[in-house]
Amino acid sequence: MKIRVYYEDTDVGGVVYYANYLKFCERARSELFFQKDLSPHISDNEFFVVKEVEAKYIKPAKFADLLEVKTILIKKKSASIEMLQEIYKEDTLLFTANFKLAFLKDFKPSKIPQELFKVFE
């Protein structure tokens, strides 16, 4: 997914604010669902939540940069998935994060419906 850095994404120095990299990744994960004509909000009582994240900030993105967020499925289990997301400017890696997402039903861990795995392939 491509994302343009807007002024609102930056700090006073014109560099992307650290938390916005996580927002960019969240948007890219949501886009995976939209591309399959689904919603990341499965229903009022079924949805994914971020359980863990490990982030590495490698180089800064700046105002007006065009970025690409790449998402790779690392592991799928019955009630969780692990994925790697990387943010690039052209061929330069700027940010990387490993996410563990848990699937909840009625706010409790639950088995991921098989048809949802196709979203991440």
Side-chain angles (χ1 to χ4, degrees), residues 61-105:
K62 298 176 183 165
F63 174 67
D65 283 351
L66 182 60
L67 307 178
E68 183 174 8
V69 182
K70 296 182 181 181
T71 304
I72 302 164
L73 179 66
I74 302 295
K75 185 188 295 185
K76 55 184 180 178
K77 295 183 178 179
S78 64
S80 67
I81 58 171
E82 294 180 28
M83 56 181 41
L84 170 68
Q85 288 188 279
E86 299 174 322
I87 299 178
Y88 290 84
K89 178 184 174 195
E90 296 172 357
D91 293 330
T92 303
L93 180 63
L94 306 180
F95 173 85
T96 183
N98 289 302
F99 289 89
K100 184 171 187 180
L101 305 176
F103 187 74
L104 301 184
K105 183 173 184 176

Side-chain angles (χ1 to χ4, degrees), residues 2 11 13 30 40-41 49 58 62 68 79 87 89 95 99 108 115-116:
K2 301 244 186 216
D11 60 18
S30 292
H41 182 78
V49 294
I58 300 164
K62 298 176 183 165
E68 183 174 8
I87 299 178
K89 178 184 174 195
F95 173 85
F99 289 89
K108 295 178 184 168
E115 64 269 13
L116 289 182

Side-chain angles (χ1 to χ4, degrees), residues 47-60:
F47 46 87
F48 285 96
V49 294
V50 174
K51 183 177 180 187
E52 295 175 17
V53 63
E54 179 184 333
K56 294 180 184 172
Y57 299 86
I58 300 164
K59 292 187 174 202

Side-chain angles (χ1 to χ4, degrees), residues 1 3 5 7-8 10 16 20 32 35-36 41 52 62 69 71 76 79 90 93-94 96 98 102 104 110 114 118:
M1 180 179 130
I3 294 177
V5 176
Y7 186 70
E8 66 186 25
T10 64
V16 171
N20 287 336
L32 292 173
Q35 289 174 356
K36 304 282 185 179
H41 182 78
E52 295 175 17
K62 298 176 183 165
V69 182
T71 304
K76 55 184 180 178
E90 296 172 357
L93 180 63
L94 306 180
T96 183
N98 289 302
L104 301 184
S110 181
Q114 196 62 34
K118 70 179 180 182

